[in-house]
Amino acid sequence: MVEIEIDGKKVEVPPGSMVMDAANKLGTYIPHFCYHKKLSIAASCRMCLVEVEKAPKPLPACATPVTAGMIVRSKSDKAVKAQKEVMEFLLINHPLDCPICDQGGECQLQDLAVGYGKSSSRYEEEKRVVFHKNAGPLISMEEMSRCIHCTRCVRFGQEIAGVMELGMLGRGEHAEITTFVGKTIDSELSGNMIDICPVGALTSKPFRYSARTWELSRRKSVSPHDGLGSNLVVQVKNNKVMRVLPLENEAVNECWISDKDRFSYEALNSDQRLTKPMIKQGGQWQETDWQTALEYVAHGLKNIKHEHGASAIGALATAHSTLEELTLLQKVVRGLGSENIDFRLRATDATVNAGFKPWLGMSITEFGELHNVLVVGSFLRKDHPLLAARLRQSVKVGSKVSILHASDDDLLMPIANKMIYAPAAWLSALVEIMAVVAEAKGLSAPIKAASISDAARAVANDLLSGEKNAIVLGNAVTYHAQASQLHSAAQWIAEQTGAKLGYLTEAANTVGGYLANALPTKDGLSATQMLSQARKAYVLLNADPVLDCAADARPALEQAEMVIALSAFKPTHDYADVLLPIAPFTETSGTFVNCEGRAQSFNGAVKPLGDTRPAWKVLRVLGNLLGLSGFDYDTSEAVRDELLQGKTDLSASLNNKISAALNPESIAPAAATGLQRIANVGIYSADVLARNSAALQETADAKPPRAWVTPDVMAELGLVNGDIVKVTQAGNSVLLPVSSDKGLAAGVIKVAAGHPATSALSGMFGTLTVERA
């Protein structure tokens, strides 16, 4: 450690640290613009000039390495004079538009100008003007004249998001930050550029001119989207959510959030919100009151149980529901005598393994420190944007990432080994890795490999070397028809190599769904089975089965005598008989359990819209109306505490091990006819909030799905990009534009799920045929 003195206080920091790091450790504030603790050093703004003893002139604190015995003065006359002179230069061209600037009230330049700016300027020439650019639907670059060229946004794109979408053109006063010609900013993390801009050059397009920062109340919350559980600050004005920002939590989301976390709030006030209970009578929707609606539901469920038995009732929920909601839903269903409840809506191999409660298998911090990691079946960047960003940082310091997938997506980081195979060949790829591990360990592998590829050998050798290694299974493994076999193979490799085994869990409360026991026992039916063996009544919690399920849900829903939808939004298809408007995450209290088993509770940020009610209250009252015991909760916290017993770290009660034995016969030969489907779920199609956010639906990532095929299939069928093709799966067909993707495995077609255009296709995998329309 190196000891230095700053403003009379001594501090020890590691060798190679900068003066700014030492000042931060002491809690001494040195004014700055371009410095950011998560970004590389640019030293471009010079605002952090400090006096260093024996140095002839002031030095930038952010770029001056510490030396033993160094004496620094940040508040001396020499330092303050230098800082004031830099501020004068920064303000020479800065427009005097604070009263109308969207950043007013939370602008670093404004704050520091109060302390370091002069009351008048010596500069009399005209200020420069920089013309605005179109950066897409999320970020506004209308006022680039305010830019002070700190380059934080450029460095964020290169270093954290992994893609350089902004750069600097020109020199001197002609320098300007701009996008590439004709391009918009399309990164799934782009909104963080707004946060780190120290002036009002980059602002939020959806939020612009809608409120002043000092008018907003702030509420802590938790993201309801992916499995990370990002911590949020929800900003509110007049009982309306106006903006969502990151709440710094180094152990979870650091100081970043994804664009889905940031901009999906627009859906909360959209015209698609359900605000009154509704009952369908004679094919027409009638608004009603809660008492009538719930009595109608209770009466209907009792009738169906009486006439067809309890097993005729099924419940489908999404893992975006809170722990409390899922707990009460399974209590209602089981109280009626049915075991048909599931939140794993896209899983096709929903084998119930006793005690299986999948999770990341390590803390998020440990995940970012892995030396070798094999990612199996994951559209990593879009499914888990911030976990991908963590891996990106670890690769920079020498970690190796290998992938086994059907699509060679650009993960914006160097990939050590790639195994790009059709989904039906994933198991045989893992068997190849098993063979190499068995050979190195002197063991006999559970299944013999027909041959071993160089990639499999390299992956196995990486997992056998080093200490912090892991195999992580993505969403596509969860959806796969051979999920338990893939898991068993990965489990065997992890056990023999000493690597950790984990799941990149799909949604905000996937882990919570297992803890709440919102899944069938051996006597119950899984989500896929409930739709293939139609039930008489369905209770839907936050779920739109037409978009959220692997199977085509429409036939089963249309046959049902009663479909009860507890939803914050109007369903995309008219299959329900009763609509009960429930509160989204900003209007209710609840708990999400993230991928590392961290239970994070939150309170509502605003009052429920219209006649909306929190789902846990609706289910509690429904339980009472059905005459079930154990529904006397006064608060959502009472439901949580009964289940979690006051624990917030639940990793000890989670378990990634399954008992399914590997079956040599499960290694199926590739399909002889047709193409094998791999289905991604678009980042802005994965949940109902994102699907109803206007700004997110205008992004490049929300474009309508296409049929992506390999160039040789395009040539074989005589197609060019944009041609319309008829895609058929299990007897159902849709018309889609076709495009070429040379990153796909041979014999694979990529067709997205979770979108109305493809909802008629059944299953996330399987054989498809393609023909010119």
Side-chain angles (χ1 to χ4, degrees):
M1 298 293 275
V2 178
E3 185 179 83
I4 75 165
E5 183 184 299
I6 301 180
D7 296 339
K9 296 177 187 172
K10 292 193 173 172
V11 63
E12 286 189 344
V13 289
S17 299
M18 300 296 155
V19 170
M20 185 72 87
D21 301 323
N24 288 342
K25 191 172 179 181
L26 267 180
T28 299
Y29 180 73
I30 297 174
H32 60 272
F33 294 114
C34 68
Y35 169 81
H36 190 282
K37 63 184 178 183
K38 294 286 181 186
L39 303 175
S40 61
I41 293 164
S44 58
C45 75
R46 317 308 279 183
M47 190 65 213
C48 63
L49 291 175
V50 291
E51 181 185 356
V52 177
E53 198 169 81
K54 296 182 183 169
K57 58 184 181 180
L59 299 175
C62 70
T64 303
V66 296
T67 55
M70 180 186 264
I71 296 173
V72 177
R73 299 183 186 93
S74 69
K75 308 280 191 296
S76 68
D77 291 344
K78 187 176 182 180
V80 171
K81 183 172 182 284
Q83 290 159 2
K84 286 187 172 181
E85 284 169 354
V86 168
M87 178 59 76
E88 185 177 14
F89 272 115
L90 285 174
L91 294 176
I92 278 176
N93 272 315
H94 200 78
L96 301 172
D97 63 351
C98 289
I100 62 113
C101 176
D102 219 46
Q103 195 98 330
E106 51 186 11
C107 169
Q108 268 179 274
L109 185 66
Q110 192 179 48
D111 294 344
L112 291 178
V114 172
Y116 298 90
K118 297 190 173 180
S119 55
S120 60
S121 173
R122 294 181 282 174
Y123 187 77
E124 292 175 355
E125 288 79 4
E126 281 187 20
K127 290 179 182 279
R128 77 182 198 138
V129 174
V130 180
F131 288 105
H132 62 80
K133 291 96 182 165
N134 175 29
L138 304 180
I139 297 178
S140 171
M141 296 179 79
E142 289 290 317
E143 282 90 17
M144 289 308 289
S145 300
R146 298 173 187 157
C147 177
I148 60 168
H149 306 149
C150 69
T151 69
R152 276 185 180 184
C153 55
V154 179
R155 284 175 287 145
F156 172 83
Q158 285 178 294
E159 296 164 20
I160 308 297
V163 54
M164 186 175 176
E165 294 182 292
L166 290 174
M168 191 184 287
L169 283 178
R171 301 186 66 151
E173 74 162 13
H174 301 295
E176 56 182 89
I177 299 286
T178 184
T179 56
F180 288 90
V181 179
K183 300 276 189 185
T184 53
I185 299 173
D186 297 325
S187 162
E188 59 280 359
L189 299 174
S190 66
N192 294 293
M193 294 178 183
I194 299 164
D195 291 340
I196 60 176
C197 180
V199 296
L202 302 179
T203 51
S204 164
K205 218 172 231 185
F207 173 73
R208 268 166 70 79
Y209 301 139
S210 58
R212 287 299 195 180
T213 179
W214 54 85
E215 299 173 323
L216 301 170
S217 309
R218 289 156 177 77
R219 313 268 190 272
K220 292 180 182 178
S221 194
V222 179
S223 162
H225 301 293
D226 62 38
L228 190 76
S230 297
N231 290 200
L232 310 176
V233 175
V234 177
Q235 299 192 332
V236 176
K237 178 184 175 184
N238 297 337
N239 201 48
K240 182 178 175 185
V241 175
M242 304 301 290
R243 184 165 65 163
V244 172
L245 297 175
L247 176 64
E248 186 170 343
N249 185 339
E250 195 61 30
V252 180
N253 55 303
E254 301 174 275
C255 53
W256 317 119
I257 53 174
S258 70
D259 288 354
K260 183 155 63 167
D261 297 333
R262 185 183 300 273
F263 295 107
S264 64
Y265 74 86
E266 275 201 301
L268 299 169
N269 305 304
S270 77
D271 56 6
Q272 290 305 303
R273 277 295 298 272
L274 265 181
T275 55
K276 286 189 178 298
M278 299 174 89
I279 296 175
K280 193 189 283 177
Q281 292 181 325
Q284 298 296 312
W285 284 107
Q286 306 288 331
E287 287 185 356
T288 185
D289 59 88
W290 271 104
Q291 184 74 20
T292 307
L294 286 173
E295 284 176 356
Y296 179 82
V297 168
H299 181 70
L301 289 174
K302 282 177 182 172
N303 268 2
I304 285 165
K305 180 184 175 181
H306 176 70
E307 290 174 17
H308 305 285
S311 63
I313 299 167
L316 302 171
T318 68
H320 301 285
S321 310
T322 67
L323 186 69
E324 294 80 355
E325 291 164 4
L326 291 170
T327 299
L328 292 178
L329 178 67
Q330 66 90 15
K331 283 185 83 168
V332 166
V333 174
R334 291 196 161 98
L336 286 165
S338 173
E339 286 293 334
N340 304 329
I341 175 168
D342 207 351
F343 69 92
R344 305 161 304 167
L345 302 185
R346 292 195 173 99
T348 43
D349 177 11
T351 315
V352 180
N353 280 275
F356 176 55
K357 295 183 175 73
W359 67 301
L360 189 58
M362 65 204 92
S363 70
I364 292 164
T365 306
E366 286 175 291
F367 179 78
E369 295 168 351
L370 292 171
H371 295 160
N372 295 292
V373 56
L374 170 61
V375 181
V376 184
S378 176
F379 293 93
L380 188 63
R381 250 183 79 192
K382 305 302 179 184
D383 290 346
H384 311 281
L386 289 171
L387 287 176
R390 289 231 182 211
L391 277 187
R392 206 168 285 130
Q393 300 312 307
S394 65
V395 168
K396 285 182 188 173
V397 293
S399 299
K400 286 184 178 180
V401 174
S402 303
I403 59 168
L404 167 56
H405 201 20
S407 175
D408 184 7
D409 300 325
D410 185 3
L411 299 180
L412 305 176
M413 63 179 116
I415 302 297
N417 306 294
K418 294 178 181 179
M419 303 175 78
I420 307 301
Y421 298 137
W426 289 358
L427 186 54
S428 50
L430 289 176
V431 167
E432 288 177 30
I433 297 170
M434 289 167 73
V436 181
V437 171
E439 187 185 313
K441 290 276 186 177
L443 304 166
S444 64
I447 302 179
K448 294 282 182 285
S451 60
I452 300 172
S453 67
D454 291 342
R457 204 170 282 285
V459 170
N461 290 332
D462 284 346
L463 291 173
L464 286 161
S465 64
E467 293 171 2
K468 298 179 179 177
N469 302 335
I471 302 170
V472 289
L473 309 178
N475 293 358
V477 173
T478 308
Y479 308 152
H480 203 288
Q482 293 179 306
S484 56
Q485 289 289 297
L486 290 168
H487 181 118
S488 293
Q491 185 173 299
W492 189 92
I493 297 166
E495 285 169 356
Q496 302 308 323
T497 58
K500 293 192 171 182
L501 177 67
Y503 269 85
L504 298 167
T505 56
E506 181 184 9
N509 203 29
T510 299
V511 177
Y514 282 91
L515 292 169
N517 197 27
L519 63 166
T521 57
K522 289 212 164 108
D523 303 326
L525 300 178
S526 69
T528 308
Q529 290 167 333
M530 275 186 251
L531 294 172
S532 60
Q533 305 164 33
R535 303 292 93 191
K536 294 293 179 185
Y538 290 97
V539 182
L540 311 176
L541 174 62
N542 279 317
D544 188 341
V546 173
L547 298 180
D548 291 332
C549 291
D552 182 8
R554 276 170 292 202
L557 294 171
E558 283 159 9
Q559 286 174 37
E561 290 179 19
M562 189 176 208
V563 178
I564 302 141
L566 286 80
S567 175
F569 295 86
K570 296 167 188 169
T572 50
H573 293 77
D574 194 12
Y575 47 68
D577 299 291
V578 187
L579 296 176
L580 302 178
I582 58 168
F585 81 110
T586 51
E587 297 169 21
T588 182
S589 55
T591 304
F592 292 133
V593 184
N594 75 352
C595 59
E596 65 175 355
R598 181 189 295 252
Q600 301 185 106
S601 295
F602 55 91
N603 292 313
V606 291
K607 290 176 187 165
L609 189 66
D611 282 347
T612 300
R613 294 288 179 270
W616 72 267
K617 285 188 178 179
V618 175
L619 290 163
R620 182 199 64 191
V621 174
L622 184 57
N624 292 332
L625 289 173
L626 288 165
L628 306 176
S629 60
F631 282 86
D632 48 356
Y633 305 103
D634 293 326
T635 62
S636 66
E637 288 79 9
V639 185
R640 176 197 69 195
D641 293 344
E642 181 181 277
L643 185 67
L644 301 186
Q645 306 292 317
K647 294 180 195 163
T648 53
D649 178 6
L650 303 165
S651 55
S653 55
L654 302 173
N655 172 33
N656 278 331
K657 287 198 172 182
I658 63 169
S659 54
L662 278 164
N663 177 10
E665 292 172 14
S666 60
I667 301 179
T673 57
L675 298 166
Q676 281 190 46
R677 181 182 183 186
I678 178 79
N680 61 310
V681 179
I683 183 171
Y684 305 134
S685 302
D687 62 80
V688 70
L689 276 174
R691 289 197 286 257
N692 284 285
S693 166
L696 291 181
Q697 291 308 314
E698 289 172 22
T699 60
D701 275 327
K703 284 178 181 169
R706 291 176 163 252
W708 295 92
V709 296
T710 54
D712 57 335
V713 171
M714 293 283 280
E716 188 184 319
L717 297 175
L719 299 167
V720 294
N721 282 347
D723 280 355
I724 303 298
V725 291
K726 181 181 176 185
V727 179
T728 306
Q729 182 179 15
N732 294 330
S733 300
V734 295
L735 296 177
L736 296 171
V738 70
S739 281
S740 172
D741 181 354
K742 63 179 186 290
L744 287 174
V748 166
I749 175 171
K750 184 167 80 172
V751 180
H755 193 280
T758 58
S759 61
L761 300 178
S762 182
M764 307 288 286
F765 296 91
T767 305
L768 277 72
T769 55
V770 176
E771 54 192 314
R772 187 188 288 275

